[in-house]
Amino acid sequence: MGALSAAFAGAAPALAQTETDATALMEQKTDPELLAEIDAEGEAELWVQFEGSPDYSAAYAAETKTEKGAAAIAAAKAFAESSQADVAAALDEAGVDYESFWASSSLKVTGDAELLATVTAFDEVAEVADTPEVVTVEPVAPETELDAAAAGWGVADINAPAVWDQLGVTGEGVVVASIDSGVQYDHPALVNQYRGNNGDGTFTHDYNFYDVEGRCGATPCDLDTHGTHTVGTMVGDDGAGNQIGVAPGAEWIAANYYGSSMESVLKAGQWMVAPTDSQGSNPDPSKAPDIINNSWGRDGDDDPYFEDIVDLWHAAGIIPVFAAGNSGPVCNTANAPGAYANVIAVGAYNVSGAIADYSSRGPVSDGRVKPDVSAPGSTIHSSMPGNRYGSQSGTSMAAPHVAGTIALMMEAEPALRGDYGLVYEMLTGSARYTEDDQCGGTAEANNVHGYGRVDALAAAQELPDGDSGSIAGTVTDAEGAPLAGAALVFDGTFDRRATSSTDGTYTVTFALAGQHTVTVAKFGYATVTGTVTVAPDQTAVFDAVLTELPTTVVTGTVVDGSGHGWPLAATVASAGGEVSTETDPLTGRFELTLPTGGVELVVEAEYGGYQTVRVQADAADLRIEVPVAESCTAPGYTFDPLGTGFESDTAPVGWTVENRGPAPWIFHDPYNQGNRTPGSGGFAFARPPGGGTMDTDLISPVFDLSSAPTPVLTFATDFTGYLPHSAAEVAISTDGGQTWQNAWEATGSIRDSTVTVDLSAWAGAQEARLKFHYYHAYMSGYWWQIDDVLVGGTPDCAPIPGGLVRGTVTDQSGAPVAGAVVTHTASGHHGVSDADGAYWTFATGSGSTQFSVVDAESGSATGSVNVVADGVTEADFTLSP
């Protein structure tokens, strides 16, 4: 045992264990990618997370927002100190440098496998993760500069001017904050609203601007253009008729996080609760904002890294607003933290009120609806650095409309300050419901617009007049133990909702006087009902005791439901995410212990391209058939006889690229142009880099045109041509690609259109191929995008004869190999192993067939696999150098 381990041993009795136990504990608590990084590099940056959470009960019980903030900070710091104490003491004793975070109890330390093993031995350590990264929700199209006098449509669309004119409310007395790229603080539309403006020509940046990454110097700056634009939408007004902001009477502060470092965004989130002076000293919770607007996130909707910060904001009485993300139009694309249950996520719509194609949609993995509301997000006019004005598009442009609306609500009704639940109910309850069932939802909200399009006037007037009081109480089980997460609904003239905290308590700070019917529900417990009477200016008490329901073991099988019928690797969870399990990937079998009486289950296949299915667990043994999605991208399926939507970053299986110039056809979007065709999601893209003449072909696999119901080709396209210097054509081969004939060519630019090509002259071809040829292109401002290529006229998603193959890839020592490419030699279908060495892929045909496996570091392998038609075959591979 080295010096560091010896130092830890004195502070961690858990280290009295075998080396095997220590290794097992390390693997259990550590991100597999981090283990691989340490194995490859010798050491890595470790983020140590701790068990438990702060006790915010005093913060929630506090009367004023400032008192809430002080109590929340005290609770967070107390928990961080106690949870980190032993590990920090051992690091100090060993002389190891580290950084401590109190807002989200964690330690950052650089170390090797020995340090990792000793850290994970502490019982209070919950997890050790790799350096987390975040991404900004960038605009979906380049900015367009506008004249200062140009009027935007978004502010008017949400009825903000009616709030100013009819209610005399502009957001005065409310502070909004931005975690974004920064702000040009002296922009004509923003300078008067900056809280650091002293009104005499001088500025105080202490407590008002946090240069997280130290890139601005002595005064605030914008590291991009994004933050100045979003703050403008919240509060912008130059006093000369250029009213770009929803709440021009509100004040703003900001932190200029704009990188990929979770450390920076954690620091920004921590600063917001207790802003500091420019030296990072003398934190003051009384200077915390009322609302924080965020335009960043992380991949996946269940990422936990910012949960502690959001919980701290809630305890401190701060309202979190997040852009939903720009990953639409596919469903299930909401990203964290916007996907969290306790933040307001905002989707984007265009000037016609229709959802923007790019706007991320729900549901999230546990079945909840997201976004919560939608707001104007396309071609939004706002401020830009350099005293300019410009137009940008994205959910980042939509979110500040909502943050500004909440500022108006808070001036109209000061009781809303610090009350997230009341703000949420008024905002969503007043939204203009906009029907859109493409991603499902409930009767009240869908997964495209949420509860609807924001209406600032209706939201500011939502709180009814009349005497009011509050409601508080505790939810326990039959033995008196507190129950967290119980949902309480108070049904009266103005409905209220609450959720019990970790100690079982809840508080409703505003409730109209009179009698309310109460419903208390929690998964696994019988629902309780009752009544409570609220007296003016008094706190009514309603306690609930819930009885645990009997349970039933439910088993089942999850299978493909569109033709193959093979078992599916899938997650099966209760609709609220309270319990979940994974199927056996080879048999599709699962088992769950559920409350007796039937529970709604949400089923999501591991393989892409399948629909999310919701079923009732109303039998002891279930058979759940999961159909493929309309995109027809599930493994083993294709449009018959030919079709693709280009949904991956590489050419679809069977498609090839032949290139004779400086750049080939690609299938990702390095220029962030977005899909400009009538299609959605991914697309094929040819764009000259400049300085060379392009000549590149995208060639389809062989298909049987004679089987097509109609001999016709359709494809979505966006072609910007400068003929004859940028040209596009489609050719067809009837002999598998040996000879070609021209079938179509562009005679000019074709923007955002669907092209139809008559192929009747070749209708009998049984070995047809198509070639999309882009050539004579040399100017980088031009391109050809194509999507949704379809032959036959009718999109018929049909199964391809074959089966699934899955297994693990290991090296000679038995360690899993990540990133190995496993290829079915005959068809080219392939899969890539994950951090555990697990892979899966589709293979055409059946019977004995050859596979190859290649990894740049660990070597290669070949082997024969007996593929079972419409089944799943297990095949493991060991690589040799």
Side-chain angles (χ1 to χ4, degrees), residues 370-384:
K370 282 288 174 177
D372 299 281
V373 290
S374 62
S378 295
T379 58
I380 299 303
H381 169 65
S382 190
S383 45
M384 307 284 284

Side-chain angles (χ1 to χ4, degrees), residues 19-399:
E19 183 176 345
T20 300
D21 291 338
T23 301
L25 197 57
M26 178 176 68
E27 293 177 349
Q28 175 187 334
K29 292 185 177 183
T30 307
D31 186 333
E33 293 183 2
L34 178 58
L35 291 172
E37 182 180 350
I38 291 176
D39 184 56
E41 304 294 334
E43 65 177 20
E45 185 176 276
L46 316 178
W47 281 74
V48 185
Q49 310 285 318
F50 295 87
E51 294 280 4
S53 59
D55 178 7
Y56 288 129
S57 56
Y60 282 110
E63 294 290 332
T64 68
K65 181 174 174 295
T66 298
E67 291 171 343
K68 287 178 178 294
I73 292 167
K77 287 185 174 180
F79 172 70
E81 183 178 353
S82 61
S83 62
Q84 299 174 19
D86 288 346
V87 177
L91 290 169
D92 288 337
E93 185 176 347
V96 177
D97 292 332
Y98 63 91
E99 187 170 3
S100 171
F101 296 87
W102 58 264
S104 176
S105 183
S106 56
L107 293 175
K108 185 187 76 169
V109 58
T110 298
D112 56 12
E114 181 184 26
L115 184 144
L116 177 62
T118 50
V119 165
T120 53
F122 284 85
D123 291 338
E124 56 266 46
V125 172
E127 179 186 8
V128 180
D130 198 359
T131 304
E133 295 182 352
V134 298
V135 294
T136 52
V137 182
E138 295 281 5
V140 298
E143 67 186 67
T144 301
E145 189 165 350
L146 303 172
D147 293 335
W153 65 273
V155 172
D157 183 85
I158 67 170
N159 290 323
V163 180
W164 312 334
D165 298 339
Q166 296 180 29
L167 304 183
V169 167
T170 60
E172 188 173 348
V174 180
V175 179
V176 298
S178 165
I179 297 180
D180 208 308
S181 62
V183 188
Q184 182 196 335
Y185 73 98
D186 57 355
H187 191 288
L190 305 179
V191 64
N192 292 325
Q193 295 88 333
Y194 178 39
R195 194 174 68 179
N197 188 338
N198 297 322
D200 59 1
T202 64
F203 297 88
T204 300
H205 303 307
D206 293 347
Y207 302 100
N208 298 313
F209 188 85
Y210 180 26
D211 186 10
V212 181
E213 298 175 345
R215 296 166 62 183
C216 283
T219 59
C221 70
D222 191 338
L223 300 173
D224 188 73
T225 61
H226 200 271
T228 300
H229 195 279
T230 56
V231 171
T233 301
M234 288 193 282
V235 302
D237 187 349
D238 65 358
N242 194 39
Q243 295 178 310
I244 56 175
V246 175
E251 294 181 304
W252 66 266
I253 64 175
N256 72 340
Y257 157 76
Y258 207 63
S260 59
S261 164
M262 178 56 79
E263 179 178 352
S264 293
V265 82
L266 285 175
K267 287 179 177 179
Q270 181 171 286
W271 182 88
M272 287 292 174
V273 182
T276 68
D277 60 27
S278 298
Q279 286 70 48
S281 303
N282 304 309
D284 187 350
S286 72
K287 292 182 169 57
D290 297 290
I291 307 149
I292 302 175
N293 186 75
N294 300 268
S295 297
W296 57 272
R298 281 169 57 83
D299 292 337
D301 63 39
D302 58 351
D303 187 284
Y305 280 101
F306 212 66
E307 286 179 348
D308 291 345
I309 297 291
V310 170
D311 290 344
L312 175 61
W313 288 355
H314 273 272
I318 299 171
I319 311 300
V321 177
F322 278 83
N326 298 334
S327 301
V330 181
C331 304
N332 306 104
T333 49
N335 290 335
Y340 292 172
N342 59 348
V343 307
I344 299 169
V346 187
Y349 61 83
N350 59 30
V351 70
S352 69
I355 200 69
D357 183 69
Y358 53 78
S359 185
S360 289
R361 290 130 164 95
V364 297
S365 55
D366 63 8
R368 287 181 293 105
V369 167
K370 282 288 174 177
D372 299 281
V373 290
S374 62
S378 295
T379 58
I380 299 303
H381 169 65
S382 190
S383 45
M384 307 284 284
N387 296 345
R388 298 179 299 127
Y389 294 85
S391 171
Q392 293 187 355
S393 299
T395 56
S396 292
M397 284 63 251

Side-chain angles (χ1 to χ4, degrees), residues 695-736:
D695 187 1
T696 184
D697 298 331
L698 175 60
I699 304 173
S700 79
V702 175
F703 63 95
D704 184 0
L705 180 58
S706 68
S707 69
T710 305
V712 64
L713 161 69
T714 60
F715 61 93
T717 191
D718 190 78
F719 172 64
T720 60
Y722 182 64
L723 301 178
H725 304 295
S726 180
E729 66 182 20
V730 177
I732 186 170
S733 172
T734 59
D735 52 15

